[in-house]
Amino acid sequence: MDKTLLYEASMQWAPDFPRQATFGSGAKQGEVSSRLELRDWLMQAHESGGPGYTSVYSFPNGHSLDGNLPKIDTLFFDLDIPSDEGSYNPQEGGDIDA
């Protein structure tokens, strides 16, 4: 994975901080406070086989679990294929019509 491209792409889908992100090989999340930290955590997750995740919103006033509202700054649409209508694995290809 290219660190520079990841950093540049994050300017679009992670415009401000703090926000949540994964690190390491598991699904652990923590708060990142800068773009460099986000890039480094996502690189660490990638290199150790973990999921690469960052929240679609930032937490400028604290986390929503503490009663604070997040700042929604990005929207992602994850269109999944129902299990009874075909399958698709981006590493192996699949039924493109599904």
Side-chain angles (χ1 to χ4, degrees):
M1 181 177 297
D2 185 301
K3 283 185 175 184
T4 302
L5 291 177
L6 181 59
Y7 183 91
E8 290 173 358
S10 74
M11 290 182 201
Q12 299 303 311
W13 43 259
D16 54 7
F17 297 88
R19 64 180 56 242
Q20 299 288 304
T22 55
F23 57 95
S25 62
K28 301 170 282 204
Q29 292 181 26
E31 185 176 282
V32 292
S33 58
S34 72
R35 188 165 318 287
L36 280 175
E37 188 176 26
L38 173 63
R39 184 208 59 196
D40 290 347
W41 281 27
L42 293 177
M43 289 296 298
Q44 182 186 96
H46 170 73
E47 290 165 359
S48 59
Y53 164 81
T54 184
S55 59
V56 297
Y57 38 78
S58 63
F59 300 96
N61 301 311
H63 199 280
S64 53
L65 292 176
D66 300 323
N68 297 300
L69 293 177
K71 177 183 175 186
I72 299 172
D73 54 30
T74 308
L75 291 177
F76 288 96
F77 296 93
D78 181 8
L79 305 175
D80 292 328
I81 298 171
S83 60
D84 61 337
E85 293 184 25
S87 63
Y88 177 73
N89 181 329
Q91 282 75 35
E92 299 174 7
D95 182 358
I96 195 76
D97 292 332

